[in-house]
């Protein structure tokens, strides 16, 4: 999901074209800073399909003489699907039964003859050879019994196979045969036999959604998803991501990955083939401080935005430098920042424990590299969630040392503080805490390792570990209806609002800068039309054409 933020046009030129009263022509719209629930989700089109499809075939061949099911019929195990003509298999069964009856009679007679032969042999009336013949006849009778019973069992199976029943509970979704049709066995033919019906359990279905490769990195198995089908546009269906198929699908030069979302369908409203929209929730932040996306600008746009709001750009930059100077930011006063160049700063609520702000924007990182000799700690190391959690545990285990660190950090933010001396004390406090200073700074920059600094400053609250943050600029309306620039730390964002991790408090009003830029752009266009109509040029020269055109 790519989020786009409108960029302010060159507002200085607009204001010049609009005239001296342009500032009075516009009423800056504001929005309150309030708590909201922000949900970040990947959206894709999907198709409903059954999870387990069963093709029912017959183990016997024959003509269908009875078929009580139709497409859409709900069947349970043992319910009749089709009944085949049983005349041939019934005749085979009757013959096998007759053979078994005859074999049993023969065994009965052979048993009597064998017993009599044994008695005669004992009385020495017959020879051993005659007795052996009786024994052989008895063994043949026993063998005939086994063979006849096996033949009858096979005939019974064929007779049972002529009645095809439902193997599982499900709904008939396909019926390719009809009453009177001759079908082939699924076990005795090379082609696999005739499919009688196709059935599936529709109490649980899944949506197959094609998610763009730019969003697939946010999708993981087990995430919550919402499916809205065209048949029920006002009723969302809840589901869970079952799996992500590894093979990509390319459609119109767009690479997408199939994502399977399982959905409970107890009411049977979702049917195979329904189309809908799938929204997979990748991040969710409940009850967090948030501002509209229209109110957020990059720090590099501080001068242009200040001018659009009728503020002095130099004063705004000085205000930002003053705030960062009390925090040990990038440069103090004008040193190293050069005149009117906007200072690249980060959120006051996310000062690292070494006393310098954590730079996350590209410009801030460049400034940090240029001033690496003066910034304590240099480049931040890569940290893991386990390292950040270890720091949190250390703070909990040694609350006195943690409080000492926080107090020193607060003193370093004060104007006129001897930061060099405080830095030495801060290093000792970290040694007492048993934590590495650079690791703590990296965890704070990543939003982890007890983001209590933001809460201690009265900001929006601690960050969520593992959630990437970035820097932004907003303009807050003051009590005298003027504007104050604030650099804030931003978290997750949806299409309308962005989480403010630190730098703002609920109840403040921020300027909607996108609306202001559009108003200025429209006024500039109207002013150009008026200039052309009156014969004058905004670049100088009057109606007589003496100026440059």
């Amino acid at each position: 999901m790519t989020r786009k933020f409108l960029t302010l046009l060159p507002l200085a030129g607009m204001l010049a074209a609009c005239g001296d009263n342009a500032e009075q022509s516009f009423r800056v719209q504001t929005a309150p800073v309030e708590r909201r629930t922000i949900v970040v989700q990947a959206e894709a089109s999907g198709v409903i399909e059954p999870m387990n499809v069963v093709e029912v075939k017959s183990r016997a061949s024959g003509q269908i003489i009875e078929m009580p099911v139709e497409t859409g019929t709900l069947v349970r195990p043992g319910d009749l699907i089709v009944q085949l003509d049983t005349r041939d298999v019934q005749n085979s069964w009757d013959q096998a039964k007759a053979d078994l009856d005859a074999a049993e009679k023969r065994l009965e007679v052979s048993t009597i003859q064998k017993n009599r032969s044994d008695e005669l042999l004992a009385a020495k009336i017959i020879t051993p050879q005659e007795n052996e013949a009786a024994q052989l006849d008895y063994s043949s009778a026993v063998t005939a019994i086994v063979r006849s019973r096996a033949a009858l069992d096979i005939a019974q199976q064929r007779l049972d196979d002529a009645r095809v029943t439902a193997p599982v509970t499900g709904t008939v979704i396909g019926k390719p045969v009809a009453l009177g049709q001759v079908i082939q066995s699924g076990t005795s033919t090379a082609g696999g036999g005739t499919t009688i019906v196709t059935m599936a359990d529709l109490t649980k279905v899944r949506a197959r959604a094609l998610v763009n490769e730019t969003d697939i990195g946010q999708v993981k198995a087990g995430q919550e998803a919402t499916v809205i089908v065209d048949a029920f546009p006002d009723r969302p269906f809840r589901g869970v991501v079952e799996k992500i198929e590894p093979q990509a699908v390319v459609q119109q030069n767009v690479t997408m990955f199939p994502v399977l979302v399982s959905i409970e369908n107890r009411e049977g409203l979702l049917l195979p083939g329904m189309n809908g929209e799938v929204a997979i929730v990748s991040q969710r932040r409940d009850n967090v401080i948030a501002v509209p996306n229209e109110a957020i600008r990059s720090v590099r746009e501080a001068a242009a935005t200040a001018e659009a709001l009728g503020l002095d750009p130099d004063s705004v930059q000085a205000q930002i430098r003053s705030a960062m100077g009390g925090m040990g930011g990038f440069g103090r006063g004008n040193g190293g920042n050069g005149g009117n160049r906007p200072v690249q700063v980060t959120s006051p609520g996310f000062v690292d424990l070494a006393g310098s702000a954590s730079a996350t924007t590209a410009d801030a990182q460049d400034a940090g590299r240029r001033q690496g000799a003066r910034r304590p700690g240099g480049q931040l190391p890569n940290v893991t969630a386990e390292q950040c959690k270890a720091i949190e545990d250390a703070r909990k285990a040694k609350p006195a040392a943690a409080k000492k660190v926080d107090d020193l950090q607060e003193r370093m933010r004060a104007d006129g503080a001897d930061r060099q001396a405080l830095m030495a004390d801060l290093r000792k406090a970290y040694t007492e805490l048993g934590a590495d200073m650079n690791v703590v700074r990296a965890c704070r920059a990543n939003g982890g390792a007890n983001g209590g600094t933001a809460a201690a400053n009265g900001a929006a609250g601690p960050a969520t570990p593992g959630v990437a943050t970035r820097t932004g600029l907003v303009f807050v309306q003051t009590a005298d209806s003027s504007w104050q620039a604030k650099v804030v730390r931003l978290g997750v964002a949806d299409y309308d609002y962005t989480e403010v991790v630190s730098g703002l408090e609920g109840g403040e009003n921020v300027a909607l800068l996108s609306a202001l830029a559009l108003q200025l752009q429209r006024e500039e266009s109207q002013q150009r039309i008026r200039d052309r109509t009156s014969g004058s040029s905004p670049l100088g020269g009057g109606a007589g054409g003496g100026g440059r055109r």
Side-chain angles (χ1 to χ4, degrees), residues 4 52 71 77 145 186 201 210 213 292 310 369 398 413 421 476 496 509:
K4 299 180 180 178
N52 296 312
T71 302
I145 283 288
D201 184 5
L210 295 178
E213 64 175 330
R369 284 190 289 269
K398 300 179 179 180
R413 299 190 191 101
V476 178
D496 300 315
N509 289 321

Side-chain angles (χ1 to χ4, degrees), residues 351-355 405-413 426:
V351 182
D352 58 59
L353 294 180
V405 168
D406 295 340
D407 291 343
L408 289 170
Q409 181 68 34
E410 189 66 29
R411 291 170 58 187
M412 292 184 70
R413 299 190 191 101
L426 186 60

Side-chain angles (χ1 to χ4, degrees), residues 418-490:
D418 186 357
R419 296 183 180 83
Q420 185 173 3
L422 290 175
M423 178 59 65
D425 294 338
L426 186 60
R427 294 183 186 277
K428 295 179 181 178
Y430 267 110
T431 302
E432 181 182 349
L433 183 62
D436 183 89
M437 182 183 299
N438 289 331
V439 172
V440 173
R441 293 169 55 210
C443 289
R444 289 282 178 97
N446 292 335
N450 188 26
T453 308
N457 294 333
T464 300
V467 176
T469 59
R470 63 190 186 281
T471 304
L473 177 68
V474 298
F475 283 81
V476 178
Q477 190 175 33
T478 61
D480 57 355
S481 298
S482 61
W483 302 101
Q484 178 185 3
K486 284 191 176 183
V487 182
V488 295
R489 177 72 66 177
L490 305 174

Side-chain angles (χ1 to χ4, degrees), residues 53 78 287 388 480:
V53 179
N287 194 31
C388 296
D480 57 355

Side-chain angles (χ1 to χ4, degrees), residues 115-127 131:
N115 294 335
R116 183 183 302 116
S117 178
D118 292 339
E119 293 174 356
L120 294 175
L121 179 62
K124 298 182 179 180
I125 298 175
I126 61 175
T127 62
N131 181 258

Side-chain angles (χ1 to χ4, degrees), residues 1-5 38 40 283 291-299 345-350 358-362 364-365 444-447 463 467-474 486-503:
M1 293 164 290
T2 303
R3 298 176 182 82
K4 299 180 180 178
F5 297 91
I38 298 180
V40 182
Q283 296 184 63
V291 295
N293 294 338
E294 298 180 51
I296 302 172
R297 285 294 176 270
S298 170
V299 176
V345 297
T346 54
S347 166
F350 269 75
S358 303
T360 57
T361 63
Q365 291 171 352
R444 289 282 178 97
N446 292 335
V467 176
T469 59
R470 63 190 186 281
T471 304
L473 177 68
V474 298
K486 284 191 176 183
V487 182
V488 295
R489 177 72 66 177
L490 305 174
V492 300
D494 57 18
Y495 292 109
D496 300 315
Y497 290 88
T498 299
E499 174 193 7
V500 179
V501 178
S502 65

Side-chain angles (χ1 to χ4, degrees), residues 53 127 135 159 206 231 234 248 263-264 269 272 303 318 414 452 458 473 481 547:
V53 179
T127 62
Q135 296 287 346
L159 189 61
R206 65 186 176 196
D234 299 327
I263 311 167
E264 292 291 337
L269 299 179
L473 177 68
S481 298

